[in-house]
Amino acid sequence: MTALRRHRKLSAIWSSEPGFRGWFSSVNHSDLGRMFLVTAFFFFLVGGVLAMLIRAQLATPHSAFADAGAFAQFFTMHGTIMMFLFAIPTFEGLAIYLLPKMLGTRDLAFPRLTAYGYWCYAFGGSMLLVALVFGIAPDGGWFMYPPLTGPLHSPGINTDFWLIGITFVEISAICAAVELCVSILKYRAPGMSLDKMPIFAWYALVTALMILTGFPPLILGSVLLELERAFGLPFFQADLGGDSLLWQHLFWLFGHPEVYIIFLPAAGVISTIIPVMARTTLLGYGWIVASAVALAFLSFGLWVHHMFTTGIPLMGLAFFSAASTLVAVPTGVQVFAWIGTLWKGRPEMHLPMLHIFGFFFTFVIGGLTGVMVAVVPFDWQAHDTAFITAHLHYVLFGGFVFPILAGIYYWLPLVSGRKRFFRLGEVAFTLIFLGFHGTFLAMHWVGLMGQRRRIETYDAETGWGAINLISSISSFIMAIGLAMVLVDVLIHAFVAVRGGRNPWKAGTLEWASMSPPPAYNFASLPHVTSRDAFHGDPGLANRLAKGEGYLGDPQSARRETLTVDIATGDPDFMVIYPGNTRLPILMAAVTGLFFLSILIKLYWLTPLALAGVAALALVWVWRLGARTDAGPQDAGRGVTLALAGETEKSPGWWGSVFLLGANATFFGSLLFGYAFLWTVAPGWPPQDWLAPSLVELGIGGAAALTSALAMRLAIRGNRHRARPLPGLAFAITATLVTAVTFAVLLSRVPPPDGHAYAATLFVLGSYALCHALIAGLMLAFAIARARRGYTSPARQAEFHIVSLWTDYLAVIATLILLAAHLPGFLA
C-alpha cells in the first residue's frame, strides 16, 4: 500500500463529518482541542472587556460609570471567567490537542468523554453569560463567601447561577482530568517508558491529578451552599450549628492548588520551548519532574494561607506560613533549570522567546510578593488590599498568559501548516508587557497605600486618583496588545503562506506528523528509543508515512491504536475506538437540563433529567463490546495483542480508578466538613441525635460488603467458564438491601433544616444511597450483558469495572454508617 493510499484510507476512517455538522458529532481530539481553545479565548475576550469596565470605573474618584451592583457583577464575573472558563479550559484544550501527537498515538483514551466534557463546558459557560447579559450575574465575588451569599443576604438568583453554572463546568474539568491521566499513562508510543515521556506530558499528568484532588472540595462546597439556599439546610449558619468558615476551608482547598493547576501547564510549555529555542536539551529533566510533583503536594498544604486574618490559632499560622514559604523551593528549581538550559545552549530570539522572557521577569516578581504575603504580619496589613490583587495577576498573568502566548506562536505552524506573514506579534508583545506592568505595579503601590479590593469608588482626598489613572491607561494599552495578538493569529490562519514541516527543528513527536496533522495523527505508530525521538531519527516521519511502524496497514474500517505498560512502555493491548456520534452533546444537554431544573426551581423535572442521563449512559456503554471473542490481533512489527475488552484492566477500568479517586476526595471533604463543624462550629452538640441502631448498622455494612464479595464470585465464575449470573444476582440483591438501609436511615434523620448535624447526616446518607443505586444500575447492566452474550472468559473487562464500584460502595457505606451511629452510642 502506497503512502497516499494509506493516507486516504485512514482519513476516511478517522475524519469527522464535513462542514458545520461535524462540530456536533466529532470525537476527534484535534477538533475538540481546537474547539476548547477557541471557546476559552472567547471567554478570555469577555473577561478582558469586564476588566476594562472595572478599570474605567476606578480610573477617577467618585466615577459614575457603574453603580455598586453592576460593579459587583463585573468583578465577580471577571474572576469567574478568567479562573474557571479561560485558564483551566485553555490547559485542557492545549493538552487534548497536543498530547496524542507528542505521545505518538492516534487519540486520547475516551474520545466521547472528551466531547461530553467540551459540551458541558460550553453549556455551563453559556449559562453564566446569559446571566451577565440579563443583569442577573453572580455578584458575591468569584470566591462566593457565605453568609453574604446565603439566602438571607443574597435572595436573588444571581448566586445560584454561579453555584450551578460552575458545578456544571467542573464536570468538564473532571472529565478532562480522567481522560488525560489514563491517556498519558497508557496511550503512548511503544518503547516510550516514563523516563522518555515529553516533559509537557509530565506536567499535564501532575496537573490532571491535581484537578482530580482539588476540584471535588469546591464541588462539595457548591452543593452544600445550594442546598442551604434552596432547601434551608444550615451548613453555614452559625445559629443552627453551621459555620461560614467551612466554605472558606472547602473553597481554598481548591483555590490555592488552583494557582498551581494554572501555573504547571504553562511551566510545561516553557520546559518544551526553551530547549528548542536554545538548540540544546533540557537541563535537569528528572529534577524538573520531581519539582513539579513536589509543587503539587505542597500546594495542598497552603489553603489557610488565604485565611490568616480569620482567627486561626498561632500554631496553624506558623505551619501554613512555613509551607507557603517552602513552596518557593520547587518553583526555584524549575526556574534555575530553565536558566541553565539557556546558559548551556545558544538561544535564538524568536517571538516565543520574547514571551518567555516576559514570563521570567513577571513571574519572579509575583513569586517574591507571594513570599511577602506568606509572612503573617505582612499579610495582616496587606490582606484584601489592591496589593493582593496585583500579586495574583503577576502570578497568573505572568505565570500563565505569557507562556500560553509563547505556546500559541510556537505550535501555530503545526496547527495551520503556515508560516507568519506579517510581524504584528513583536509589537503586540511590547504593548502587553508595558501595559501589564504599568497596570499592576501601580496596583501594588496603591494597595500599600491602603486601597481595598472590590471597592467601586473612593474619595479624591485618599491620593489614589493619579495612581489609578495610570493603572487604567496601562490596562487599555495591554488590551490593545492582546487584540493585536488575535489579529496576528487570524492573519496567520487565513493569509500566511505555506510553511515547511518542523520549522523550529524540534525533537518531540508532534513535529513528525504532517502540518497540519491529519485526523489520525500518524499513518503508523512509532517505536520510541529516546526522549527526543525525532532528533535521534530524522527519517522517522517518512517511515511512519510509509507504514513501517505499528498498525501501519488498516485492514478494516476500525479506529485502532495501542496501549502500553505504564512503566516500561511495552505494547499492552489494542483499542478499538467508537466513531463519530452526537451522543456526547445530547448527554451534555440532558445534564444541563438537570442543572437548569434546579436553577429555576422546577424540581419535578430534576428526577426526569437524572433518568435521562442514566438512560443515555446505558446507551453509551451498550454500544461497546462484541458477542464473539476476537482473539489476538496483528499490531504490526511482528507483535500480536489482545483487544482491550478481553483484558482485566481495560481503559474503562483505569478511567474508573481515577474517577473514583476524585469521588473519594469529594467524600473525604464531606467527612472533613462533618468533623470541622463538630469541633469548631458553635451550637454543638445538637439537641437531637440520630437514634443508634445496631441492626441498621450491621445489615447495611454486611450487605455492602456482601455485594463486593459477590462481584468477585461472579468474576471467578466467568473466568472458569461457569455462569456469572448467580454471583451477579447475589450482588445486586445485596446492593438493593444496602440502598433500602440508607433509605430507612434517611427517614430517621432529624429534620435536616433544624441543625447542621442533621443536614450533614442527610447529605452523607443521600451520598451512600446514590452510590448504592449507581452500583445497582451497573450490576443490572452487567446481568443484561451476560444474558445477551457480551461476556465470556475472555471478554471480562466489564466485570472488573463493576467490581471497583461495588468495592467503593462497601467502603463508603461502612464509614457513613459508623459516622451516623457512633455519636448516638457515645452520647
Side-chain angles (χ1 to χ4, degrees):
M1 183 183 296
T2 65
L4 182 59
R5 287 185 59 195
R6 180 175 293 102
H7 167 70
R8 288 173 176 170
K9 189 168 185 178
L10 286 169
S11 295
I13 294 171
W14 287 85
S15 292
S16 304
E17 292 184 61
F20 182 71
R21 295 181 304 167
W23 296 1
F24 304 103
S25 62
S26 177
V27 294
N28 181 269
H29 79 97
S30 294
D31 293 339
L32 292 166
R34 285 191 293 262
M35 291 161 68
F36 260 106
L37 288 170
V38 170
T39 308
F41 275 91
F42 167 75
F43 283 119
F44 182 60
L45 176 64
V46 175
V49 171
L50 292 172
M52 296 302 97
L53 297 177
I54 293 170
R55 288 313 319 169
Q57 171 67 15
L58 293 176
T60 57
H62 297 297
S63 174
F65 181 76
D67 60 23
F71 188 82
Q73 293 188 25
F74 292 165
F75 73 72
T76 299
M77 285 298 294
H78 168 71
T80 299
I81 287 172
M82 292 304 193
M83 297 294 280
F84 296 103
L85 303 183
F86 166 64
I88 300 300
T90 298
F91 154 67
E92 293 168 3
L94 196 65
I96 287 167
Y97 184 85
L98 286 175
L99 277 175
K101 300 171 177 61
M102 285 186 163
L103 297 174
T105 188
R106 285 175 172 164
D107 211 322
L108 295 168
F110 311 112
R112 294 182 300 174
L113 184 65
T114 309
Y116 172 70
Y118 169 76
W119 291 111
C120 285
Y121 162 55
F123 292 156
S126 300
M127 184 184 297
L128 289 168
L129 287 189
V130 167
L132 182 63
V133 169
F134 286 99
I136 51 175
D139 55 4
W142 72 277
F143 35 79
M144 285 287 151
Y145 285 167
L148 295 178
T149 54
L152 296 178
H153 299 285
S154 297
I157 201 173
N158 305 58
T159 300
D160 299 303
F161 267 107
W162 192 96
L163 295 170
I164 292 171
I166 291 303
T167 303
F168 194 9
V169 169
E170 285 175 348
I171 292 176
S172 170
I174 297 296
C175 290
V178 170
E179 176 80 271
L180 294 177
C181 286
V182 179
S183 299
I184 294 167
L185 292 175
K186 296 294 295 180
Y187 287 69
R188 308 195 299 265
M192 185 181 285
S193 56
L194 288 176
D195 63 333
K196 294 186 181 71
M197 284 203 311
I199 192 66
F200 182 80
W202 272 110
Y203 277 105
L205 176 62
V206 173
T207 304
L209 290 171
M210 290 180 70
I211 289 174
L212 293 178
T213 311
F215 275 51
L218 178 60
I219 295 174
L220 172 64
S222 300
V223 170
L224 297 184
L225 184 52
E226 183 58 30
L227 286 174
E228 180 174 297
R229 291 177 56 82
F231 303 108
L233 275 61
F235 299 103
F236 308 107
Q237 296 181 30
D239 57 330
L240 294 175
D243 194 331
S244 60
L245 282 182
L246 174 60
W247 170 270
Q248 292 197 36
H249 282 290
L250 293 174
F251 184 87
W252 291 115
L253 273 169
F254 148 82
H256 204 92
E258 164 83 346
V259 174
Y260 298 99
I261 289 170
I262 292 172
F263 166 67
L264 283 173
V269 172
I270 294 165
S271 296
T272 301
I273 295 176
I274 282 181
V276 177
M277 296 292 128
R279 298 289 175 257
T280 187
T281 56
L282 183 64
L283 181 68
Y285 174 94
W287 284 99
I288 290 178
V289 172
S291 65
V293 174
L295 195 62
F297 274 107
L298 288 173
S299 70
F300 285 96
L302 308 183
W303 80 93
V304 181
H305 173 113
H306 297 266
M307 301 171 62
F308 282 165
T309 61
T310 61
I312 302 296
L314 292 178
M315 182 63 73
L317 291 178
F319 172 81
F320 287 103
S321 177
S324 301
T325 306
L326 183 63
V327 79
V329 175
T331 306
V333 169
Q334 295 172 77
V335 171
F336 281 111
W338 296 328
I339 294 172
T341 303
L342 292 171
W343 187 271
K344 77 168 185 173
R346 301 187 309 276
E348 298 180 0
M349 287 304 296
H350 299 290
L351 183 54
M353 277 303 296
L354 287 178
H355 286 285
I356 287 177
F357 279 124
F359 153 80
F360 275 124
F361 185 83
T362 307
F363 187 74
V364 168
I365 294 176
L368 292 174
T369 57
V371 173
M372 292 169 65
V373 298
V375 179
V376 176
F378 181 86
D379 187 78
W380 281 342
Q381 300 301 315
H383 189 75
D384 267 347
T385 67
F387 185 94
I388 302 299
T389 306
H391 156 69
L392 178 69
H393 283 81
Y394 261 82
V395 171
L396 294 184
F397 196 101
F400 184 76
V401 176
F402 276 122
I404 288 299
L405 293 176
I408 287 173
Y409 280 110
Y410 176 75
W411 280 295
L412 203 55
L414 172 71
V415 177
S416 67
R418 301 169 184 266
K419 59 184 179 182
R420 294 174 64 214
F421 189 71
F422 294 111
R423 299 290 172 177
L424 293 178
E426 288 77 4
V427 178
F429 165 77
T430 302
L431 294 176
I432 294 169
F433 185 81
L434 295 177
F436 174 83
H437 287 281
T439 301
F440 294 105
L441 280 176
M443 287 183 66
H444 278 110
W445 183 9
V446 78
L448 291 175
M449 293 176 64
Q451 180 175 314
R452 312 303 297 174
R453 302 171 72 176
R454 301 181 288 275
I455 59 170
E456 81 281 357
T457 187
Y458 53 91
D459 294 328
E461 293 77 12
T462 58
W464 303 339
I467 305 174
N468 274 302
L469 182 60
I470 293 170
S471 180
S472 295
I473 292 172
S474 299
S475 71
F476 279 87
I477 293 172
M478 177 175 60
I480 293 170
L482 290 167
M484 289 181 66
V485 170
L486 175 62
V487 172
D488 195 27
V489 171
L490 292 175
I491 290 174
H492 178 98
F494 297 106
V495 179
V497 296
R498 181 73 183 170
R501 175 186 285 169
N502 196 11
W504 308 114
K505 303 297 185 289
T508 44
L509 284 175
E510 74 269 27
W511 299 101
S513 179
M514 292 186 288
S515 297
Y520 53 86
N521 289 337
F522 301 97
S524 59
L525 304 184
H527 188 91
V528 173
T529 57
S530 64
R531 195 171 295 151
D532 291 315
F534 202 18
H535 269 163
D537 188 0
L540 177 65
N542 290 331
R543 292 206 314 277
L544 294 180
K546 294 176 182 177
E548 297 179 13
Y550 297 91
L551 301 178
D553 190 11
Q555 299 291 338
S556 62
R558 301 191 309 188
R559 298 186 176 188
E560 301 172 332
T561 195
L562 303 180
T563 65
V564 298
D565 178 79
I566 290 177
T568 65
D570 295 332
D572 198 354
F573 50 80
M574 184 185 294
V575 175
I576 309 299
Y577 287 122
N580 298 320
T581 175
R582 289 178 174 79
L583 191 57
I585 187 174
L586 179 60
M587 190 165 175
V590 178
T591 307
L593 186 63
F594 164 77
F595 286 105
L596 191 63
S597 68
I598 298 173
L599 178 66
I600 60 179
K601 310 298 191 260
L602 294 178
Y603 296 122
W604 60 269
L605 189 57
T606 304
L608 296 179
L610 277 177
V613 171
L616 289 171
L618 292 175
V619 173
W620 184 299
V621 292
W622 188 267
R623 294 181 178 181
L624 303 175
R627 295 191 182 186
T628 57
D629 294 345
Q633 304 287 302
D634 180 19
R637 294 174 61 105
V639 174
T640 56
L641 301 172
L643 289 179
E646 299 179 4
T647 61
E648 291 186 6
K649 296 181 178 179
S650 65
W653 187 90
W654 286 103
S656 291
V657 166
F658 288 107
L659 182 58
L660 287 173
N663 201 346
T665 305
F666 181 94
F667 178 61
S669 301
L670 182 55
L671 291 181
F672 163 79
Y674 187 45
F676 176 83
L677 292 177
W678 190 290
T679 55
V680 174
W684 286 71
Q687 292 182 349
D688 297 323
W689 297 95
L690 174 73
S693 169
L694 282 174
V695 174
E696 190 175 88
L697 179 62
I699 291 177
L705 181 61
T706 299
S707 176
L709 294 176
M711 239 351 271
R712 282 165 169 73
L713 180 65
I715 292 173
R716 177 177 293 182
N718 180 72
R719 185 181 296 136
H720 293 92
R721 297 188 179 276
R723 292 179 62 81
L725 290 176
L728 292 173
F730 201 17
I732 196 170
T733 302
T735 301
L736 292 177
V737 171
T738 306
V740 170
T741 301
F742 281 101
V744 172
L745 184 147
L746 287 172
S747 70
R748 300 193 309 109
V749 169
D753 58 351
H755 194 276
Y757 162 76
T760 309
L761 276 190
F762 182 81
V763 173
L764 283 167
S766 300
Y767 180 85
L769 177 60
C770 175
H771 281 78
L773 294 176
I774 291 172
L777 191 63
M778 295 179 76
L779 285 163
F781 174 83
I783 291 171
R785 295 283 278 189
R787 289 175 61 88
R788 296 295 296 272
Y790 281 92
T791 62
S792 73
R795 287 171 279 124
Q796 56 181 309
E798 295 172 2
F799 293 129
H800 292 276
I801 295 171
V802 176
S803 181
L804 280 176
W805 288 83
T806 55
D807 289 350
Y808 184 76
L809 174 63
V811 173
I812 65 164
T814 303
L815 292 175
I816 291 172
L817 287 169
L818 289 173
H821 289 87
L822 279 182
F825 284 121
L826 295 176

